Structures are given as C-alpha cells and as structure tokens.
Amino acid sequence: MMFFALSKQAGQIAVTNADVQEKFPGLVQEITSNLGAFLPELILAVGVMWVIMADLFTRRERSRRMGFHAFAFVAVALVSVICHGFSGDQELFRGMIVDDGFGAFFKVLLLVGTLICIPMVMMTRSFDGRRMGEFYGLLLGSVLGMFLMVTAKNMIMFFLGIEFASYTSYLLTGYLKGDRRGAEGALKYVIYGSVASGAMAYGLSLLYGLTGSLDMADVAQGLIVSRTTDVTVLIAGLLCFAGFGYKIAAFPMHFWSPDVYEGAPIPFTAFLSVISKAAGFAVLLRFAEGMVGTGNWELTLSNGDVVGVDWPLVVGVISALTMTVGNFAALFQRNLKRLLAYSSIAHAGYLLMGIAALAPGAENAIPGWQAILFYLVAYLFMNLGAFLVVSIIAEKTGRETLDAYRGLGSRSALLSVALGIFLISLIGLPPTGGFTGKVQLIKAVVDDGQIWLALVAVVNTVVSVYYYARIIRLMFLEESDDTSKVPLSAPVSAFVVLMIVPVLWLGVFFGSTVDFIRDLTLTLG
Amino acid sequence: MLLTLVTFIPLIAALVVLCIPKEQKDIIKWTSMGAAVVTFIISCQLIMGYRSGGTDSVAEKFDGQIQSVIDDNVADTALKASFQKGVQAIEADNVDDAVGADRGPVHYAEVAGIDLKSLDAAQSKAWHETWELSMAKGAAASEHIRFVEFGHWIDGFNIRYFMGGDGLSLPLIWLTALLSVLCLAYSWNITKATKAYFALFLILETGLMGVFLALDFFLFYVFWEIVLLPMYFLIGFWGGPRRIYASIKFFIYTLVGSVLMLICMLALYFHNGFDTFNILTLMEAAPGFSQTMQMWMFFGLFIAFAIKVPIFPFHTWLPDAHVQAPTAASVILAGVLLKMGGYGIFRFNLGLCPDAMTGAIQLPMWLGGNFIMFMAILGVINIVYGALCAMAQKDFKSMVAYSSISHMGYVLLGLAAMTDAGVQGAVLQMFNHGLSSAMMFLIVGVIYERAHHRNLNKFGGIGAQMPYYTGLATIGFFASLGLPGLNGFISEALVFMGAWNSHTASPAVGVFGLPTWIVFLALPGIVLTAAYILWAVQRVFMGPLKSETYKTFKDLSFREVFVLAPLGLLCIVFGVWPQLILGFMNDTLNTLVSSVIAVAGN
C-alpha cells in the first residue's frame, strides 16, 4: 500500500526531502537504517559500475583481467552476507524486501555459484580479444536482480527483480556477437521471456484485483477472507506460475531452454542452469509458501463445502510432466550442452516435488522447502561441476558433442572420474549429494501422501540413468582413436577437485547442512 | 568394531590402491590381496566368535545405550521415571507380538504418561531414541544378533550407523570374504587397467559386506547401491564382446528394483509416525502393520529383491550379465550378489510382513491366492524353467548362468514352506550355491582361457588331457547337481522335506501350508538338473579329443588349484557335515519362523 502511496506522490510533483519528511515521518531515517542489511546489494551495485568503468581504462588484451575485479566484488559481497548472518527477521524498505535466513541462504548460494562461474568465464578462449567489462557488469547486475528476487516480499518488487535478472540474461546469452546459435538463443529467450512476464504481470494484477494488495502476506490473507471463486484464483495462480515456470524452465514454459543453453557461452549456460534456476525457485518458494503453505487456499465453508484449488495436485502434475519431458527429451541428445539442458529441466521437475509437498504433513516432517533448499545446494555443485568439465573439454577439443568424451577415461583420469561422480550424483546414487537430496524430496512427497508423484520420480530416475550412464560408458568403456592425454594445469585440477569434495561430502555427512537449513528463518509477514 | 573393520578394510585398501602408481602392478595386487586376506581372517573370527559368543550380551549393550541416552538428556527425575516406565511397557509388548497393536513412539509416550508436547527438542529426540532402541532390543535378542555397533550418523532423520551380524548374515559375510580372496587370486593375470580393476573389486567387497551387516534401512540402501557401480564397470570394461549392452541392462534392472525399495523404505519411515530406519525396530513393530500396508510392502520389496535373485520373470538380465562378465566378476555375481536378493527377502519380507508370510493376506487367484502360494509357484517356475533353459544352452557359461536361476528357485520354495526344515534348507541353499556356482564359473573360466571359446558342442576329451582339472570340476558339477555327499544335496533335500511337510505342519500353527502337488511340480527340476549337468560333463570331458589344439592344453596352474581346491574341499565338508553351518543358522532362522507363527497364533 505504501508503495502506491509513494508512487502517486512521485507521479504528481518532484518530491523534496522536506515533503517526504512531512508526509512520511521517519522515512529517511528508516531507509538509512535499513541500508546496513542491504550492504551486499550495494557492494554488487558498486561492482557493476566498477567493472564497466575500470574496463574503459584497460587495454583490450588485458580486458579479461576484469574477471579478477568481478571475483573480488562477489567475494566481498559473500563475506558481507555471511557476516550479516542467517538469523535476520525484519522487513526492509517498508515491506518491499525482507531480511531473513531464507534470503541470506539463497544469496550465499547465488554468490558461491557466481564465484564458480567467473573462473570458468576466464578460462573460455572464445571471449579472447573482447571487452569483458560489460560481460562482468551484466553478470553482476544479473546477480543483483536475483538478490531482489530472493528477498522480495512485495509482488512488484519480485516482478522487477525477475525482469532485471532476465534482461541481463538476454544480453549475456547473445554476448558472442556473430555467433548464429547465440543470437538465435537470445532471440528465443527474449520472446519467451516477454510472453512469460506479460502473463505473470496479468496474474499479479488479478491477485491485486482480488485482494487489493501487493504484499504477499496480505494477498494470502485477502484470498482467505474474500473467498473468491476458484476459477479466478486458478487462472491467477497459473498465470503467475507461467512467470516462475519460465525462470525455472518447467513444463510447459521450458521450450526456450535447450536452444538458449546450447547457444549461450558454456559458463553462462552453467550460470543459467543453476543460479538463475535457484533464484527462480527462491521466489516461487516464497510465493508458494505464502499462498499455499500457510493460507492453503482451501477453506471449509459454514455449510461444510470445501472451496479452493488443490494446489499440491496442480503443482504435482506440472512436476511430473516437467521431469518426464526433460528426461525423455534428454535420451536422444548428441550435444552434451543440450543434454544437460534437458537434464536440468528434469531436475526442475524433481525440485517442484518439494513445492507440491509444501502443505505441512505429519509432525516432525521436513517441509518440502527444506528439501528444495538442500537439493539446490547439491545441484549447485554437481551441475556446475559437470559444466566445468564440459567447458574444459570444449576448450581442449573444441567439441561439445558426446563423441568428444569417447575414451576420456584413459586420456584424463581426473576429468573423467570427476564427470563420472557428477553424473552419478545427477542420477541420484549414493554416496553423493544428489542421492541425499533426492531422497529428501521424495521423502517430502511420500510424507505428504502423494505416492504417485514419488513413483513418477523414481521411474524418471531410472530413465535418466540411460543417458547419464551413456556418457559414463563412453568415457570408460569405449576406446577412442585419439589417445593423446588432455593436459591440465594445476589450478584447473585443483578447481575440479574442489567441486568434487562438496558433492561427496553432502552424500555422506549431510546432517549438518540439513540442520542448518532447518534453522533458517523465513519471514512471510 | 569387528564389523566396521570387515566392511571398511577393503574400501581403505581400495583408496590405497588408487594412490599407487599404475605401473607398480605387483604392489597393487599384493595390497589388494593383503586386504582381502585380512578381511577373511576377521570374518573367520566373527564366525568363531558367534558360535561361542554367549558372553557378548546384546541385551546389556542395548540397556547401556538406552540408559545413557536417558541420562544424557533427561535431568528431571520424574520424567526419567516416565521414560523408564515407557521402556518397561515396550519390553513387555516385545514379548507379545500382538497383531494390530500400535507400537509407535506416540502410543508409548501416552502409556508412560509422557507429554510429548512439553518436551524440549533434545528430550523428544531422546524419547524417540529410547523407543527405537527398546524396540530393537527385543528383535536383537530373539534373533541372536551379535557384534552390534550403534552410532549416530544423520541425526536429523534418525539415520544410524547400525550394524550387526546374526545366523543369517554371518555365513554370507564369510562366503563374501572367501570368494573375494579367491577371485582376486584368480584375477592375477588381469593386464587391462589392473589398478582400476583391483580397486573396483575391493569397493565391491565393501558394498557387499555392508549390505549383509547393515541393520539400518538407509545404510542398507546406501551399501546396496554401492554394489551397483563397481559391478557395472567390471562387466562393462573387462567383459566380453557384448559387455556394454549387458552392463547397462544389469544397471537399469537393478536400479528399478532399488528405487522401488526406496519408496518402501520411506513409506515405512513415515508409517504411524515411526520416523525410524532401524530394521529391528520396524521388525518388532511389524505385527502391528495393517494388512494393506503389509501387502504393498511385500510387493514392493519382493520385486526389488526378486530382480536381484533373480526370480522369473525378472531374470533376463542375468544370462547377459554372466556371459559377458569376466570370470571373477561372474563368480562374485553368482556367489554373492544373487544372495543379496535372497537375504533381502529373508530379512525384510519375512521380518516386516508377517501376515503375508502366514498366508493371511488374500491375493487374486491368478497370483496364487496368497503370498505363500505366490512365492512357491514362482520358485517352482524358477527351478523347472531355469533347468530347461540351462539344458538348451550351447554356451558353457550361459548354461551355468541358467543353472543359477534354477538353483535360486529352491530358496523361494523353501521359504514358502514356512517350516523349520524348509527355511533352513533355503538359507543353506544360498550358501551352498555360493560355493558351487562360484566353482562352476571358475571351471568355465579355466577352460575359456585355454580354448578361447565356450561352445559345449566343440569340447570333448578334456578329461584325459587335464585330469586334475577334470577331478575338481567334477566335484563342482556334482555339488551343483545335488549328489548325496556333497553340499547341494543337503539343502535341496531340506527344501523338499520342508515343502512336503508343509501341508501338515504349517496349518497346525495357523500358517498356510503348501499343497503336496507343488513338490511334485518341482521334482522334475532335479531330473532336469542331473540331465543338463551330466550332459555337459559328457560333452566337455568324455569322448575323444575334438580338436588337435586341445592337446596343447596344460593342466591347472598352481594359482588355479589354489582357487578351485578350497571350494571343492568345502563342497565336500559341508556335504558330509552340514551341521557345521546349519548349527550356526538354526537359532536365528527358527526365531524368524516362530515369530511369524506367533503372529498367526494371535
């Protein structure tokens, strides 16, 4: 409400400081005091400007060094998030965004992912001879947009966050000018993105119309009180879901992702498939937790009738379709980037199981969102790890197709074993984080009584073995004519090993992570 | 501590092997061998210790653990007394095996007058653990489980590091350790990627040990899956011409089973607010499960294990995997991996679905009417169909593979009989088959290394050329055939005795008894087994030399004798003196059966 009051004011005349003081006593002080919790975002914003400006004063051939600058800003932002802690529980800027453990967790996740992606960008030779300041500026900008997504409590705010993150992503997808596939991917991305955000804006406006508020908590309350008809709520929910579904590449909003993933530079594909998806899940979770988890959108009228939409079922069906479509499409892919694109659609499907199981089940059960958070941590490392190996191989051989992996086992033990571990984790076999994560997701839906969804998930797991194991088979069981060793520098080897450690750690000692996630605060207002 | 050692020594050795430069093949081989031998020695110690293990009182261990959980977390004396009261109530109910009883932690909290809502987090965890341990104590004591190791692994989900051995698992542990030593010795001449081969073999051993020893369902599942990957690579990398097809088929079949098991595991976890993966606790609570629950659990778990056994119609991966696998992998596959399925059916289906095992749950007629008939019919199909397929094979190895299917049918038939003799025969059959099938695969391997083909029709006259080989091979063949005096005879005879007796003995205690005609249906299996084995012996060893090249064949090398002779000797020893192993399993198996009977009685 405050937001609209403010924007009306802004629309009429230029607002002076004195006016604000008069109309909203204490506003300036409040904003200033809130800035402390907003420090990571400010650091990123400064970083965006810094890398673009500093690049202007750098010779073109040294432009790749901007990566170090970007890395430093992300690292400082990470430190500031961690120092701020995970126990925050307050609204900032009059309910626009919140400062809570849930948001901080996702900020850490996004920053760690970005920290992994930046060295991958620096290793990529197709960027050589280009000005990289803009790239890193856009990348940091994208992360900043995602920060607003994961902390937004007001619908306008998260819509703006999504748009911010999307626009930067469009540009980054087509960053390699002159690359046809990149251009095609970027265009597809823009078109799908516009449709999805249009649909979402319409959905949000319906919700505003139904409840008269844009604050998530108010909307949830308003829906319960107003007892609106099922159809309008269903339509509004589905339209909103179009926006989220596009961000996380869920069926039927997934069509852009294979082309974009294939066309984008590999490090950015990795960024899209993990970090962008994680941010999408964060905002979807917060939205759904507010709407479905607490409000449940289902209420018993005085005459005993139950009205409301069966959201767990709707999301469950979307989840089942998403994983099935992803897995079956992945079966026939020859290009590894494309294969991983479809596989990441399937993983979005697995993750959606957690949303379907949001409604609290038995006592002591882990709610679905905790399972999602854990799975995202595991997914971050295993998928980025897989992309790391793919990018190294693409750099060394110039190929992204499956043939490049034939006989890799004898050519580079480290890369092949590492990719093997990441793939086993993606399948969901012990002792890896993919296994413990998937068990928690399946556990959440079994606990919620949706056994059918659990069965769909395990059948999908079996299907996915076929294409993941095909890569393992190519690497270890088949021999290639090319038997030359793949040379690896020590830092790159160390980087690969660093990615393996958390995957295995999460598979064996996942208790501490689970406990950590359980203790996170979640502010819904 | 012994169980942890026996499980993890191979894994540690595998990690050591991975650190050795791959040119140092001898060091790699001897390191692996050393680890396997140490594991074997420890497993012998376990066996010895189990027989004379009267002093190692499991009940006291559990009591101590329960006491320390209560003492550490509950300070209030009144609450402590309530906890103790709860423990006593659980112990009283452990004896009863009451059907349909609520054995959940919430129920006992009410009985003991504990207000769960008023407990803090540590206290409610403590109550849950007290409940879990008190329940598990009942099953552990009655099943004669020893060497128990209990530790916390993932507290958030009540996942424990809980291991223990009993009469069902320890013989299989010993068998695994023995076969691992022999297989590593047999693999001495592996030249392709030696380091990876030995490392994978050791990881495989760890997985197998863990499967048989884990008493926490989650832990069991992890080990179960750990077995999968090394075997996939062993078949896929060191196997025959169609190895890639065979290995992926093996992988996918087994994974279908294990994901079903995963669903069952989670359903059990959430059942009635148990929140536990402790197998013993679940077993103790099993009589209280509803019949619908038991029916679905039985189906899910049975299919998961049936794929591994393998039971018709899930058997088609086995001939492919066996024929393509390298000899040592075939030996482990037939000798131990198939027993994982059998072990699972005994541990889980028998333990968690007592109503299914009494035949109280009705099934449609086309599934046999109840689970006993269902299993018996599948067992008979396995026996007869497996034998018929074996007879039709031209490939030596695939004949042996089908003979495994046939022999595993006896396990199912013996279990379905639900008499002491039948169940003992079934478990003994698993053990014996581990020895005889291992021997058969080694025999095939020996001749394949010389002839480079396995076509039964092209052999002939090997007997005169390789007398020692023929002598040892004959023992293996006849053990598999079930000749009196060799081990196979005892177990098959026990199974038949049990099945024959079933229709009089079982109904008397309220368990469905197998009709006699089932036994008659299975009997042709014996004749068919004799037929294909004798025919194979005749084609390979008798007659004139079919090819001049066979004249160059040398008799067994020292290494091959070292591998075959112990197995042959054991076939004779257990054939003449089966009590050695039976006496070992009796206590555990009899309680397993009598606990089901007790449920039927209630």
Side-chain angles (χ1 to χ4, degrees), chain A residues 363-366 424 427 429-431 435-436 439-440 442-444 446-447 451 454-455 458-459 461-462 465-466 469-470 472-473 476-479 485 507-511 514-515 518, chain B residues 22 117 125 153-157 159 192 218 221-223 225-226 228-229 232-233 235-238 243-244 247-248 251-252 255-256 258-260 262-263 265-267 269-270 275 277:
Chain A
E363 270 181 70
N364 301 329
I366 41 154
I424 285 167
I427 295 175
L429 290 180
F435 166 69
T436 49
V439 167
Q440 290 180 44
I442 293 179
K443 213 165 158 178
V446 169
D447 188 27
I451 304 275
L455 283 173
V458 299
V459 169
T461 303
V462 176
V465 167
Y466 186 78
R470 192 168 65 176
I472 298 178
R473 188 190 83 195
F476 294 107
L477 307 187
E478 293 192 2
E479 278 153 31
K485 295 275 178 212
V508 183
F509 304 104
F510 56 106
V514 170
D515 292 341
R518 175 168 307 179
Chain B
K22 63 177 169 223
K117 294 209 172 62
K125 274 259 173 234
W153 180 17
I154 308 295
D155 255 350
F157 298 119
I159 297 170
K192 186 179 172 186
F218 193 90
Y221 188 84
V222 169
F223 282 121
E225 295 283 38
I226 285 178
L228 188 56
L229 279 168
Y232 167 74
F233 285 114
I235 298 173
F237 194 72
W238 288 271
R243 57 177 198 262
I244 288 173
S247 58
I248 195 76
F251 197 140
I252 289 182
L255 197 68
V256 171
S258 46
V259 293
L260 265 177
L262 181 71
I263 298 270
M265 177 173 106
L266 294 176
Y269 180 84
F270 286 117
D275 287 356
F277 289 113

Side-chain angles (χ1 to χ4, degrees), chain B residues 225-299:
Chain B
E225 295 283 38
I226 285 178
V227 170
L228 188 56
L229 279 168
M231 202 38 144
Y232 167 74
F233 285 114
L234 285 174
I235 298 173
F237 194 72
W238 288 271
R242 288 175 69 238
R243 57 177 198 262
I244 288 173
Y245 168 77
S247 58
I248 195 76
K249 194 167 174 183
F250 165 77
F251 197 140
I252 289 182
Y253 262 73
T254 318
L255 197 68
V256 171
S258 46
V259 293
L260 265 177
M261 184 164 41
L262 181 71
I263 298 270
C264 291
M265 177 173 106
L266 294 176
L268 281 169
Y269 180 84
F270 286 117
H271 182 71
N272 203 8
F274 281 4
D275 287 356
T276 184
F277 289 113
N278 193 318
I279 295 171
L280 297 182
T281 304
L282 291 171
M283 274 170 74
E284 199 56 56
F289 294 166
S290 72
Q291 290 209 345
T292 336
M293 164 92 178
Q294 290 190 33
M295 184 175 88
W296 289 112
M297 282 302 118
F298 193 97
F299 268 123

Side-chain angles (χ1 to χ4, degrees), chain A residues 220-382:
Chain A
Q221 273 305 315
L223 285 175
I224 290 173
V225 174
S226 65
R227 294 185 180 176
T228 37
T229 50
D230 297 352
V231 182
T232 328
V233 175
L234 182 67
I235 290 174
L238 287 179
L239 285 172
C240 290
F241 193 83
F244 300 125
Y246 152 78
K247 241 353 207 184
I248 61 177
F251 180 87
M253 302 302 292
H254 68 282
F255 288 102
W256 57 273
S257 80
D259 292 314
V260 171
Y261 282 19
E262 196 184 348
I266 296 178
F268 187 62
T269 309
F271 183 87
L272 274 183
S273 76
V274 177
I275 296 155
S276 175
K277 192 167 286 206
F281 266 102
V283 60
L284 174 54
L285 260 176
R286 208 186 274 275
F287 182 75
E289 178 75 25
M291 300 294 155
V292 187
T294 54
N296 222 356
W297 281 15
E298 204 175 77
L299 62 159
T300 314
L301 299 179
S302 51
N303 59 5
D305 289 350
V306 178
V307 296
V309 184
D310 189 357
W311 283 109
L313 183 69
V314 174
V315 178
V317 169
I318 294 173
S319 156
L321 287 170
T322 305
M323 60 177 100
T324 311
V325 166
N327 276 323
F328 277 89
L331 288 179
F332 308 104
Q333 302 306 321
R334 308 295 311 169
N335 180 306
L336 201 57
K337 254 162 93 185
R338 222 177 152 80
L339 186 149
L340 285 174
Y342 281 110
S343 116
S344 83
I345 294 174
H347 284 275
Y350 298 140
L351 282 159
L352 277 173
M353 286 199 293
I355 308 255
L358 268 187
E363 270 181 70
N364 301 329
I366 41 154
W369 70 269
Q370 291 180 358
I372 294 182
L373 261 57
F374 184 92
Y375 196 80
L376 280 172
V377 178
Y379 180 70
L380 174 90
F381 290 107
M382 65 198 186

Side-chain angles (χ1 to χ4, degrees), chain B residues 288-337:
Chain B
F289 294 166
S290 72
Q291 290 209 345
T292 336
M293 164 92 178
Q294 290 190 33
M295 184 175 88
W296 289 112
M297 282 302 118
F298 193 97
F299 268 123
L301 293 168
F302 186 78
I303 293 173
F305 297 128
I307 291 173
K308 205 82 178 181
V309 169
I311 291 165
F312 176 89
F314 306 111
H315 65 283
T316 57
W317 63 269
L318 180 110
D320 285 311
H322 266 314
V323 171
Q324 300 305 325
T327 302
S330 288
V331 170
I332 287 285
L333 193 56
V336 191
L337 253 75

Side-chain angles (χ1 to χ4, degrees), chain B residues 18-354:
Chain B
L18 284 175
C19 298
I20 301 172
K22 63 177 169 223
E23 292 78 24
Q24 305 287 342
K25 293 198 171 164
D26 282 338
I27 302 182
I28 289 172
K29 288 175 190 168
W30 282 110
T31 313
S32 321
M33 188 49 131
V37 168
V38 171
T39 314
F40 178 64
I41 292 170
I42 299 175
S43 77
C44 290
Q45 255 186 356
L46 285 173
I47 292 273
M48 308 281 201
Y50 188 76
R51 287 302 295 271
S52 56
T55 51
D56 175 39
S57 169
V58 172
E60 272 170 30
K61 256 190 188 173
F62 273 97
D63 284 338
Q65 179 78 19
I66 294 169
Q67 205 53 51
S68 73
V69 168
I70 297 178
D71 289 343
D72 290 352
N73 296 295
V74 187
D76 180 38
T77 39
L79 194 56
K80 236 179 207 173
S82 309
F83 270 54
Q84 299 290 7
K85 196 177 157 201
V87 172
Q88 281 157 14
I90 295 168
E91 277 173 4
D93 284 357
N94 281 349
V95 184
D96 283 354
D97 284 329
V99 175
D102 181 356
R103 309 276 330 252
V106 182
H107 168 73
Y108 283 109
E110 278 167 20
V111 170
I114 300 170
D115 181 13
L116 283 178
K117 294 209 172 62
S118 69
L119 300 184
D120 64 26
Q123 283 169 342
S124 72
K125 274 259 173 234
W127 166 246
H128 188 273
E129 196 173 338
T130 309
W131 165 79
E132 179 194 328
L133 287 168
S134 311
M135 296 279 282
K137 183 182 150 193
S142 63
E143 301 224 358
H144 306 276
I145 286 175
R146 299 234 167 84
F147 308 113
V148 171
E149 282 167 30
F150 185 90
H152 292 222
W153 180 17
I154 308 295
D155 255 350
F157 298 119
N158 300 319
I159 297 170
R160 319 284 187 212
Y161 176 76
F162 185 26
M163 312 263 268
D166 63 359
L168 181 60
S169 58
L170 289 176
L172 293 169
I173 288 296
W174 189 74
L175 184 70
T176 311
L178 173 73
L179 289 182
S180 297
V181 172
L182 299 182
C183 284
L184 288 179
Y186 189 83
S187 308
W188 218 250
N189 56 357
I190 291 277
T191 50
K192 186 179 172 186
T194 317
K195 177 170 144 180
Y197 181 92
F198 279 83
L200 285 172
F201 224 103
L202 290 168
I203 296 173
L204 182 65
E205 192 181 351
T206 290
L208 291 167
M209 293 290 186
V211 164
F212 294 132
L213 292 174
L215 287 178
D216 182 282
F217 209 154
F218 193 90
L219 190 64
F220 175 88
Y221 188 84
V222 169
F223 282 121
W224 179 277
E225 295 283 38
I226 285 178
V227 170
L228 188 56
L229 279 168
M231 202 38 144
Y232 167 74
F233 285 114
L234 285 174
I235 298 173
F237 194 72
W238 288 271
R242 288 175 69 238
R243 57 177 198 262
I244 288 173
Y245 168 77
S247 58
I248 195 76
K249 194 167 174 183
F250 165 77
F251 197 140
I252 289 182
Y253 262 73
T254 318
L255 197 68
V256 171
S258 46
V259 293
L260 265 177
M261 184 164 41
L262 181 71
I263 298 270
C264 291
M265 177 173 106
L266 294 176
L268 281 169
Y269 180 84
F270 286 117
H271 182 71
N272 203 8
F274 281 4
D275 287 356
T276 184
F277 289 113
N278 193 318
I279 295 171
L280 297 182
T281 304
L282 291 171
M283 274 170 74
E284 199 56 56
F289 294 166
S290 72
Q291 290 209 345
T292 336
M293 164 92 178
Q294 290 190 33
M295 184 175 88
W296 289 112
M297 282 302 118
F298 193 97
F299 268 123
L301 293 168
F302 186 78
I303 293 173
F305 297 128
I307 291 173
K308 205 82 178 181
V309 169
I311 291 165
F312 176 89
F314 306 111
H315 65 283
T316 57
W317 63 269
L318 180 110
D320 285 311
H322 266 314
V323 171
Q324 300 305 325
T327 302
S330 288
V331 170
I332 287 285
L333 193 56
V336 191
L337 253 75
L338 306 191
K339 276 69 196 178
M340 283 163 63
Y343 171 81
I345 292 178
F346 271 88
R347 178 71 77 209
F348 292 92
N349 287 50
L350 190 59
L352 297 179
C353 315

Side-chain angles (χ1 to χ4, degrees), chain A residues 7-92:
Chain A
S7 55
K8 253 184 226 156
Q9 286 281 337
Q12 284 164 3
I13 38 162
V15 185
T16 63
N17 199 1
D19 285 341
V20 174
Q21 286 290 12
E22 188 186 327
K23 296 267 181 195
F24 305 103
L27 181 64
V28 175
Q29 287 83 344
E30 196 185 320
I31 289 178
T32 331
S33 68
N34 282 344
L35 281 179
F38 203 57
L39 188 62
E41 283 87 347
L42 294 178
I43 293 172
L44 281 180
V46 172
V48 172
M49 289 179 273
W50 173 265
V51 285
I52 294 175
M53 299 297 277
D55 194 35
L56 297 177
F57 299 97
T58 314
R59 282 212 302 275
R60 181 176 278 266
E61 55 270 27
R62 287 192 189 158
S63 179
R64 62 193 294 270
R65 288 190 191 170
M66 282 302 117
F68 293 112
H69 295 237
F71 192 90
F73 274 102
V74 175
V76 172
L78 180 61
V79 170
S80 82
V81 175
I82 291 173
C83 290
H84 184 65
F86 297 88
S87 51
D89 188 11
Q90 55 170 331
E91 295 182 355
L92 300 183

